[in-house]
Amino acid sequence: MNEVQGPTPAGTSRPYRNLAEALRAQRIPEENHAFITQIVEAVGISSFIDRGRYIEAIRRGPGAALHIGRTYTNGFTEDEIVVVGSAPQRLQPSEGRPPYFYVVHPSEYVPLAPAKAKRSTTPRSSAPAAPKAPKVTPKEDRDYGVCDVCFMVRTPSGGCGCD
């Protein structure tokens, strides 16, 4: 929850007609829309207001307004249980809005392991094999003799170091 909270930069606020309009206007990732919708329906929200960096969702009953940002929803009490689907969400203490708590949106969770690509079912054709190089066997060491003057081994042409 690293987003700055507060009124809009111009100091003005405008109401949204519905949650879908608010989510589009705030450019909240598509994968979070269903998650946020379930939270809003469970809590009971009467109106949505543009606050610049977040959407302020006013509750119908008692309780603080929710702040819906791109990566989190803030404004829950410590004893409040937020259930999405059938899983209760882990509430974390708010740094910018104590004593309230927030939940992190699903788009912020990093997958544990990257998804493996599926193999294609089409048969593979192998590339033509490159021609193999002929096997090189070491030639037998030949003895060309030793020079009587400098005692070096003679070259195949018969020379030595003293020539």
Side-chain angles (χ1 to χ4, degrees):
M1 198 177 94
N2 298 327
E3 299 179 25
V4 177
Q5 299 179 356
T8 60
T12 59
S13 300
R14 70 175 188 89
Y16 291 113
R17 284 180 250 161
N18 54 37
L19 179 61
E21 177 187 352
L23 295 175
R24 275 193 311 275
Q26 290 288 326
R27 295 185 178 138
I28 292 178
E30 195 72 35
E31 58 266 25
N32 296 332
H33 288 202
F35 180 83
I36 295 168
T37 301
Q38 289 181 15
I39 290 174
V40 165
E41 288 173 355
V43 171
I45 300 298
S46 62
S47 61
F48 301 98
I49 301 170
D50 177 16
R51 295 291 186 200
R53 291 197 165 273
Y54 63 90
I55 302 163
E56 184 175 24
I58 309 296
R59 295 184 192 225
R60 284 194 182 108
L66 297 181
H67 291 185
I68 304 169
R70 290 181 55 82
T71 60
Y72 66 91
T73 298
N74 189 348
F76 302 104
T77 59
E78 185 175 9
D79 59 340
E80 203 167 355
I81 298 173
V82 180
V83 178
V84 176
S86 62
Q89 300 299 305
R90 193 177 105 209
L91 294 175
Q92 299 175 11
S94 176
E95 297 162 4
R97 206 176 161 210
Y100 299 112
F101 290 75
Y102 70 97
V103 294
V104 177
H105 294 167
S107 65
E108 295 304 299
Y109 294 116
V110 178
L112 296 177
K116 292 184 179 180
K118 291 185 178 180
R119 289 187 136 181
S120 65
T121 57
T122 58
R124 294 184 181 181
S125 60
S126 61
K132 293 184 179 180
K135 189 173 180 183
V136 179
T137 57
K139 294 183 181 178
E140 294 179 21
D141 290 333
R142 296 185 182 163
D143 185 16
Y144 299 108
V146 179
C147 175
D148 295 331
V149 177
C150 66
F151 302 105
M152 292 189 66
V153 177
R154 294 193 182 271
T155 63
S157 65
C160 67
C162 62
D163 289 340

